[in-house]
Amino acid sequence: MRATVLHGARDVRIDDVPDPRITAPTEAIVRISAACICGTDLHPYGNMDPAEHPVRIGHEFMGTVEDVGSEVTTVKRGDLVVAPFVYSDGTCQFCQAGLQTSCTHGGFWGALGVDGGQGEAVRVPWADGTLVALPPTDDPRLIKSLLTLSDVMGTGHHAALTAGVRRGDSVTVIGDGAVGLLAVLAARRLGAERIILMGRHISRTDLGREFGATDVVAARGQEGIEQVRELTNGHGTRAVIDAVGFLAAYEQACGVVRAGGVISRVGLPQYEQAPLGVPIWFNNVTLTGGIAPTRAYIVELLPEVLDGTIEPGKVFDRTVDLDGVPDGYRAMAEREALKVLVTP
Amino acid sequence: MRATVLHGARDVRIDDVPDPRITAPTEAIVRISAACICGTDLHPYGNMDPAEHPVRIGHEFMGTVEDVGSEVTTVKRGDLVVAPFVYSDGTCQFCQAGLQTSCTHGGFWGALGVDGGQGEAVRVPWADGTLVALPPTDDPRLIKSLLTLSDVMGTGHHAALTAGVRRGDSVTVIGDGAVGLLAVLAARRLGAERIILMGRHISRTDLGREFGATDVVAARGQEGIEQVRELTNGHGTRAVIDAVGFLAAYEQACGVVRAGGVISRVGLPQYEQAPLGVPIWFNNVTLTGGIAPTRAYIVELLPEVLDGTIEPGKVFDRTVDLDGVPDGYRAMAEREALKVLVTP
């Protein structure tokens, strides 16, 4: 079959790779009908070490079950399914607690002999714990929204949920990428009244307004902090969501959070050390968030996607086939595209 | 009157200072009957910059109201009162939310012309927001426990509360100072089942066991982390309380917290930057805590202190009069005393 392989920084190729086949009775093979390129994929795309071997890539996908191992009970051949961006056994204490990203048998797509998501098919370890069966559909708008349950919608929800967003709340969302925009949607869904979106790409922040942002602040750094404080009587917002992951975004979050408030970080941190001394401590600021266990949220969010209450699929603004994937990476890296859908 | 003044590193003196007098209608004068020396006092005691002017010191006290301004309504002359370690107006939005440490008119004892707590008397700004009236008592054991509501008991409670400790929980407490031991007591009070106390002073950890610690780990660093992990099937505890404030304690906390767990920091951080990258994020660890708004907790904890359900005053193991304060500092700095009571 054909699949996306990252050969080096800015060197994405579509290669012939071995067809996936079941190697354990808990596995399934899924023929991919829709996948996407993620902001996180841009980190290895931009910085892959020349000494590294080529790697399979892609971690968001949906498709049709083509084969299942003898112990798989929750999905069957022909089912339309969506996969979260981490696979998990569904039975360990962390999975039972809804923290599937810490599953004792879990792992990442594209690593350790497991297929990546940007290809024709994928072998799914722990199919029962990982896959969620969906009602059949060929509606392209619905498919886009269902696909966001794999990562970006669930990640936005994780941000709002761990930040404790509740009715009447005030929230700042830092970052106008797909996760930031869907964090706006998630915060609105949980009842936030004031949502300040910090981002500088007008087409994106316009979508953020459509998702529920009440204010947009384009300025960054100290200027951006001051603008948010001006909008909030000098105190900042109770909740702040960092949907970026760079140190500057974290510092911005520290600057706009209200005393006693919460910063939730869902962007993969691009730093090891960060300010964590007296200012944060003196203001009783809580830091939370982390990698989102989206598997835990698919079932909760699915009904509202199916009935159109939320339409997170609006973040997709470009569609490519497998041959178009390399250009899809380029377009996302150059911020020409917000989120690229891949239809193999 | 006489009061404690810090003149430089390891130079504590009892000086004659002006008698306090009321300067605003919201103030009160309290004649101090019991005060104490805090672990936080040891930081300026050990490291005061030679270029600094002498400063008044002490932030935990109780005593008798001697005079009140015309607008004070909740305490009157002759009342026995306890003060939290930060004064606050009691009316701003932060005070109303129970975060008196962020009061818009609040501040610290011993700073900006306000008296310190280790003296004969103190002018109390915002007496209604700050002081809590107590039933009269001359029982020395009860007085010790009431005095801990000023800081160390409330700080231990803040640690356990912000860590979300609940019935059946597992908790690691790092540090066997007064706050660490009272965090053990607070965690037990909230229903924790497993409490691992990390500390190396046997007389202190014995008191920790009396307060509810189920296990004691004397080892530090990587060895200590491994011992806690061995006690917890390799996963660590759900809650971790850092009652120390040094970077090594934070790193130890990161090593013993379970995925999806919480680290609550109540020790004043002695660092500016700390590890906050992928490991914490990948494990969905929440960092919380901060300076404790003990004013918020006095009323809640008071009944259990009065009826003897909890006896936090056991942390005091030495009593001095004002002249004994310098030696009290020395004894605490050299870890000869756990917590020193001052009876002016």
Side-chain angles (χ1 to χ4, degrees), chain B residues 294-324:
Chain B
T294 58
R295 180 62 174 79
Y297 306 134
I298 295 177
V299 174
E300 178 182 351
L301 297 170
L302 186 56
E304 291 173 53
V305 168
L306 290 174
D307 72 12
T309 305
I310 56 174
E311 196 183 337
K314 285 183 177 170
V315 295
F316 289 105
D317 58 353
R318 185 167 300 195
T319 302
V320 296
D321 60 13
L322 265 189
D323 291 319

Side-chain angles (χ1 to χ4, degrees), chain B residues 101-238:
Chain B
T101 45
S102 292
C103 173
T104 50
H105 295 109
F108 289 97
W109 306 109
L112 305 172
V114 176
D115 300 294
Q118 293 156 6
E120 290 181 331
V122 65
R123 174 174 65 87
V124 177
W126 307 106
D128 280 339
T130 304
L131 300 172
V132 177
L134 304 168
T137 179
D138 54 8
D139 174 355
R141 278 177 65 174
L142 181 56
I143 286 170
K144 285 180 184 172
S145 285
L146 291 168
L147 184 55
T148 66
L149 296 176
S150 177
D151 183 344
V152 284
M153 181 63 220
T155 296
H157 178 67
H158 188 59
L161 192 74
T162 54
V165 173
R166 52 185 182 256
R167 193 151 304 281
D169 221 340
S170 65
V171 185
T172 302
V173 175
I174 300 171
D176 58 9
V179 170
L181 299 181
L182 292 174
V184 169
L185 179 64
R188 184 75 196 87
R189 181 180 167 275
L190 291 176
E193 194 174 287
R194 185 79 182 270
I195 304 174
I196 302 171
L197 174 59
M198 301 189 80
R200 49 201 303 135
H201 303 85
I202 290 173
S203 62
R204 301 180 179 193
T205 55
D206 281 350
L207 182 55
R209 287 186 195 272
E210 195 181 328
F211 282 157
T214 51
D215 304 85
V216 169
V217 169
R220 294 179 181 184
Q222 198 52 40
E223 196 189 337
I225 290 170
E226 276 159 26
Q227 288 184 22
V228 172
R229 290 200 164 261
E230 271 167 35
L231 288 169
T232 53
N233 295 319
H235 294 303
T237 56
R238 193 205 60 82

Side-chain angles (χ1 to χ4, degrees), chain A residues 93-94 99 101-102 104 108 158 162 235 247 250-251 258-260 265-269 271-278 280-293, chain B residues 93-94 99 101-102 104 108 158 162 235 247 250-251 258-260 265-269 271-278 280-293:
Chain A
Q93 57 184 315
F94 294 104
L99 195 68
T101 45
S102 292
T104 49
F108 289 97
H158 187 60
T162 55
H235 294 304
L247 187 59
Y250 170 71
E251 288 170 342
R258 183 189 174 85
R265 301 182 303 155
V266 288
L268 177 68
Y271 49 85
E272 289 178 9
Q273 304 267 325
L276 197 59
V278 173
I280 288 276
W281 182 87
F282 184 76
N283 286 318
N284 271 277
V285 170
T286 293
L287 302 181
T288 189
I291 184 171
Chain B
Q93 57 183 317
F94 294 104
L99 194 67
T101 45
S102 292
T104 50
F108 289 97
H158 188 59
T162 54
H235 294 303
L247 187 59
Y250 170 71
E251 289 170 339
R258 182 190 176 84
R265 301 181 304 155
V266 288
L268 178 68
Y271 49 86
E272 290 178 9
Q273 303 267 327
L276 197 60
V278 174
I280 289 276
W281 182 88
F282 184 76
N283 287 317
N284 271 278
V285 170
T286 292
L287 302 182
T288 188
I291 184 171

Side-chain angles (χ1 to χ4, degrees), chain A:
Chain A
M1 69 163 183
R2 301 172 75 221
T4 305
V5 178
L6 185 65
H7 285 260
R10 286 165 299 285
D11 182 6
V12 175
R13 303 181 203 169
I14 309 305
D15 290 349
D16 282 315
V17 301
D19 285 332
R21 58 182 191 83
I22 285 179
T23 63
T26 50
E27 297 179 350
I29 304 299
V30 172
R31 174 77 32 189
I32 294 174
S33 55
C36 37
I37 304 174
C38 185
T40 353
D41 294 332
L42 299 180
H43 296 307
Y45 175 75
N47 305 311
M48 184 172 166
D49 188 331
E52 273 186 65
H53 291 288
V55 288
R56 304 277 284 278
I57 194 164
H59 55 256
E60 300 154 287
F61 64 90
M62 53 191 287
T64 304
V65 177
E66 202 167 74
D67 197 6
V68 294
S70 59
E71 291 177 16
V72 174
T73 62
T74 62
V75 296
K76 60 181 189 306
R77 275 184 211 180
D79 278 353
L80 181 67
V81 292
V82 62
F85 71 90
V86 171
Y87 62 80
S88 54
D89 67 16
T91 57
C92 77
Q93 57 184 315
F94 294 104
C95 285
Q96 292 293 309
L99 195 68
Q100 287 87 342
T101 45
S102 292
C103 173
T104 49
H105 295 109
F108 289 97
W109 307 109
L112 303 172
V114 176
D115 300 293
Q118 293 157 4
E120 290 181 330
V122 63
R123 175 175 64 89
V124 177
W126 308 105
D128 280 340
T130 303
L131 299 172
V132 176
L134 304 168
T137 180
D138 54 8
D139 174 353
R141 278 178 66 175
L142 181 56
I143 286 171
K144 284 179 184 172
S145 285
L146 291 168
L147 184 56
T148 67
L149 296 176
S150 177
D151 183 344
V152 284
M153 180 64 220
T155 295
H157 178 66
H158 187 60
L161 192 75
T162 55
V165 174
R166 49 183 182 257
R167 193 151 303 282
D169 221 341
S170 64
V171 184
T172 302
V173 175
I174 301 172
D176 58 9
V179 170
L181 299 181
L182 292 174
V184 169
L185 178 65
R188 184 75 196 86
R189 181 179 166 274
L190 291 175
E193 193 173 289
R194 185 81 182 267
I195 303 174
I196 302 171
L197 173 60
M198 303 190 79
R200 51 203 299 135
H201 302 85
I202 291 173
S203 62
R204 300 181 180 193
T205 56
D206 281 350
L207 181 55
R209 287 186 196 272
E210 193 182 327
F211 283 157
T214 53
D215 304 85
V216 169
V217 169
R220 294 179 180 183
Q222 198 52 43
E223 196 190 336
I225 290 170
E226 276 158 27
Q227 289 185 22
V228 172
R229 291 196 165 265
E230 271 167 34
L231 288 169
T232 53
N233 296 318
H235 294 304
T237 55
R238 194 207 57 83
V240 180
I241 291 169
D242 167 8
V244 177
F246 288 111
L247 187 59
Y250 170 71
E251 288 170 342
Q252 206 161 295
C254 294
V256 300
V257 68
R258 183 189 174 85
V262 178
I263 297 171
S264 179
R265 301 182 303 155
V266 288
L268 177 68
Q270 302 299 306
Y271 49 85
E272 289 178 9
Q273 304 267 325
L276 197 59
V278 173
I280 288 276
W281 182 87
F282 184 76
N283 286 318
N284 271 277
V285 170
T286 293
L287 302 181
T288 189
I291 184 171
T294 57
R295 180 62 175 78
Y297 307 134
I298 295 177
V299 173
E300 179 181 351
L301 298 169
L302 185 57
E304 290 172 54
V305 169
L306 290 174
D307 72 12
T309 306
I310 56 175
E311 196 183 338
K314 286 182 178 171
V315 294
F316 289 105
D317 59 353
R318 185 168 301 198
T319 301
V320 297
D321 60 11
L322 265 189
D323 290 320
V325 165
D327 193 60
Y329 272 84
R330 182 206 54 75
M332 275 185 66
E334 294 175 7
R335 302 200 170 245
E336 196 182 290
L338 169 56
K339 181 95 179 153
V340 173
L341 180 74
V342 179
T343 51

